[in-house]
Amino acid sequence: MTEFEKMQQGMPYSPADPELTQFRYASRRLCQQFNTIDPADVDANEMVITKLFAIRGKGVVVEAPFTCTYGMNVNVGNNVAFGPNCTIIDSGHVEIGNNVLIGPGVGIYTITQSLLPLEVLNGEMEISLPIIIGNNVVIGGNSVIKAGVSIGEGVVVEAGSVVEGDIEPFSVVSGNPASVIRRLR
């Protein structure tokens, strides 16, 4: 099994693998290109974002600077906006629904570190878990979404929150770790 296959299946893998390294370089080049494009050059911005994400819906707005690790593991729905300084560590699958607002400085991290001594000894130091963000979600600035999290429809994540577990639909969450402070329905 290749390191890429291990990464995609949530198994411990080595991020130092040459194939994974080349994928990261390609994404880094696209992000670097995107971050230097004139913001008024809509066509150039759209072209780079289309190349970067696996699936990109209509009405996607990404403000520079923006960073993602692979890009090919990110599916973005319609009417999604990313504020500046967003980072997606997409070693695992990231699914972002429709009508999602992601504030500035948000981190979406699909990796967790391997803690088993034999895995570390073998160079398998990361484990990737998917992140699913439902439709009609608002994620406040400087929030962190951690590996393996599913955020339901209509959720509001207050600014500065750290989401470590699944969030039920139509909830408002806040804090570190984020907890439900009220229900919207």
Side-chain angles (χ1 to χ4, degrees), residues 50-100:
T50 299
K51 287 181 182 179
L52 189 61
F53 295 146
I55 296 175
R56 179 190 153 258
K58 295 179 181 177
V60 174
V61 176
V62 181
E63 291 190 42
F66 175 82
T67 306
C68 67
T69 308
Y70 294 97
M72 64 183 168
N73 294 321
V74 179
N75 293 349
V76 180
N78 298 318
N79 305 315
V80 175
F82 293 88
N85 294 310
C86 285
T87 300
I88 302 178
I89 307 298
D90 62 310
S91 301
H93 179 71
V94 175
E95 183 80 29
I96 299 172
N98 299 316
N99 309 313
V100 175

Side-chain angles (χ1 to χ4, degrees), residues 7-8 13 73-74 89-94 110-111 128-131:
M7 180 179 80
Q8 295 294 300
Y13 68 94
N73 294 321
V74 179
I89 307 298
D90 62 310
S91 301
H93 179 71
V94 175
T110 65
I111 63 167
S128 299
L129 301 172
I131 293 175

Side-chain angles (χ1 to χ4, degrees), residues 26 29-30 33 45 49 62 86 90-91 94 103 122-123 135-136 140 145 149 151 154 157 160 165-166 184:
R29 284 184 199 103
L30 286 170
Q33 180 183 357
N45 280 309
I49 291 302
V62 181
C86 285
D90 62 310
S91 301
V94 175
N122 291 333
N135 297 327
N136 308 308
I145 312 301
V149 165
I151 296 176
V157 177
D166 293 350
L184 298 173

